[in-house]
Amino acid sequence: MKIKLLKEEIESASIHHLQRISGEDLKKCYQCGNCSGGCPVSYEMEIAPSQVMRFLQLGKIEEVMKANSMWVCVGCLQCYSRCPKGCSVAAVLEGLRQTVLRKGEDFEKISKIPMQFLKNAPQQAIVCGFRKFVS
Amino acid sequence: MKIPYYPGCTLNTFAKSFDESARDAASAIGFEMAELKQWNCCGATFPLTPDNLIALSAPAKVLSNAGKEGDTLTTLCSVCYNVLKRTNKVLRDNREKRATINGFIEEEYDGSVNVLHFLEVLRDKVGFDKVKAAVKRPLAGIKTGAYYGCMLLRPFEDMGIDNAERPTVFENLLKALGAEPVEFPNRIECCGAHLAMNNEEVVTKLSGNVMTSAVGSGAELIVTSCPLCQYNLEKSQDKVVSSTPGYTGVPVIYFTQALGLALGQPIESLGFEKNVTDVMPLLKKKGIV
Ligand code: SF4
Ligand code: SF4
């Protein structure tokens, strides 16, 4: 695959915004892969945690926004816990989710959530799910 | 001893047996869990983007109410514990955020309350030796896997209850209760958490990994400290049984149910009937009931 690196993308407003709201410095990551190794859902992610960091370092935020990674992250903090550089991919992925949700765009429509889940699940699952998926 | 206690929404409804077994166990040991006079939902997730102050206002309100009733606050749900403890740290250490949040919730809270998980109360305030002395029905011979999950332990620098990779607090409690703790590889891995809302496949896989990892290490029982872990594991049980050759299921209960059992509480008071996989055959087999 051939990719074109552009200064405007690497230093784009959306990358700056993401670093500001997540509190993470993307350049700190040195691509050891510990986060992807420890992540319980990297097998399910279209772009694994360490790759998310690399894409973003190279300014490829659009690609990351299109991938399912941010929506399948369970927020378990294993990535952060095991990162030798103290990076939190969890915070970066939450920053990406927040970028979408703060625009008022829902990932899950409340009306589509199965009634059976709303009736039977523990309240904390519902509240947490709303926080992660609903604007 | 009287300790201010925050049950949280889920323990007040879905996970009543977690709440009740803990309160009864506390009084059997000789202290009281005094429910806060006023409390609200903690928000069920600590915001991972540090600029999201609005999400800290609900837990800040809980902490501020707790501050009016004492210098300590205990809770049972791992998620409530995580949210309250991390919020408290922000309020204590960050003057600017503290001023903004206090202004918003109209309180003057300074982060001085000590947030403790019930496990910490048992370990550090009561002492496991005292718990052991109160045991009337030892869980002898039950190989038990303590499932920590994520929120009790991570991030280490905020939670600090135990080593984030090799914790021991749960196993030490189980030893005090006479059980045989089993350390299993997936004991600090995620159950699938809030994906319960929209991704059953991932939850089944992750929860299945937890249960088969425990059983593979010899566990006959799993104990949890989070109603969402409990729900995800129990909900996945049947699917994992049918898709995993040789795996026949394992009872999953709250650690406070195991505690109450060991303390000799009446079996009917422990809420076992609400658990999906019946624990009674195991208890009978071991001669405990
Ligand atoms: S563990 Fe940290 S340094 Fe290593 S790839 Fe992941 S984010 Fe980068
Ligand atoms: S917080 Fe998200 S990205 Fe990090 S290890 Fe957990 S699931 Fe993976």
Side-chain angles (χ1 to χ4, degrees), chain A residues 28-36 49-51 53 57 79 82-89:
Chain A
K28 263 186 5 195
C29 164
Y30 61 9
Q31 287 293 294
C32 67
N34 264 1
C35 50
S36 298
S50 56
Q51 294 171 324
M53 297 302 273
Q57 285 174 339
C79 50
R82 292 179 180 169
C83 174
K85 297 287 287 174
C87 305
S88 174
V89 185

Side-chain angles (χ1 to χ4, degrees), chain A residues 21-22 43 72 74-78 80 82 91 94-95 102 108 117 120 122-125 127 130-133, chain B residues 10 13-14 43 48-51 79 150-151 154-155 157 165 188-190 192 195-198 205 227-228 231:
Chain A
I21 67 170
S22 68
Y43 77 93
V72 296
V74 287
C76 70
L77 300 182
Q78 216 41 305
Y80 172 62
R82 292 179 180 169
E94 176 125 319
R102 288 180 195 183
E108 283 301 333
F117 171 78
N120 300 329
Q123 285 66 23
Q124 65 185 124
V127 177
F130 278 13
R131 282 258 159 110
K132 301 280 183 186
F133 301 133
Chain B
T10 307
T13 45
F14 173 89
L48 300 177
T49 45
D51 76 329
V79 176
C150 314
M151 293 297 132
R154 295 191 286 274
E157 71 274 21
E165 293 283 345
I188 62 163
E189 299 298 337
C190 185
L195 293 192
M197 184 176 262
N198 62 3
K205 186 171 170 82
L228 184 49
Y231 173 76

Side-chain angles (χ1 to χ4, degrees), chain B residues 43-83:
Chain B
T45 174
F46 182 81
L48 300 177
T49 45
D51 76 329
N52 193 358
L53 294 190
I54 194 78
L56 299 180
S57 50
K61 190 83 187 169
V62 173
L63 292 159
S64 154
N65 284 336
K68 291 170 193 156
E69 295 190 31
D71 55 6
T72 311
L73 178 66
T74 188
T75 189
L76 283 153
C77 164
S78 302
V79 176
C80 297
Y81 172 62
N82 184 286
V83 175

Side-chain angles (χ1 to χ4, degrees), chain B residues 133-195:
Chain B
V135 167
K136 298 207 170 69
R137 198 193 275 135
L139 309 182
I142 305 192
K143 296 198 182 74
T144 310
Y147 176 45
Y148 288 85
C150 314
M151 293 297 132
L152 199 54
L153 302 170
R154 295 191 286 274
F156 169 72
E157 71 274 21
D158 285 4
M159 306 315 296
I161 178 173
D162 208 336
N163 185 306
E165 293 283 345
R166 302 251 8 224
T168 54
V169 54
F170 240 143
E171 284 79 8
N172 290 340
L173 172 65
L174 290 170
K175 272 186 217 154
L177 305 183
E180 244 180 77
V182 171
E183 279 188 28
F184 61 100
N186 284 48
R187 71 200 173 116
I188 62 163
E189 299 298 337
C190 185
C191 65
H194 60 274
L195 293 192

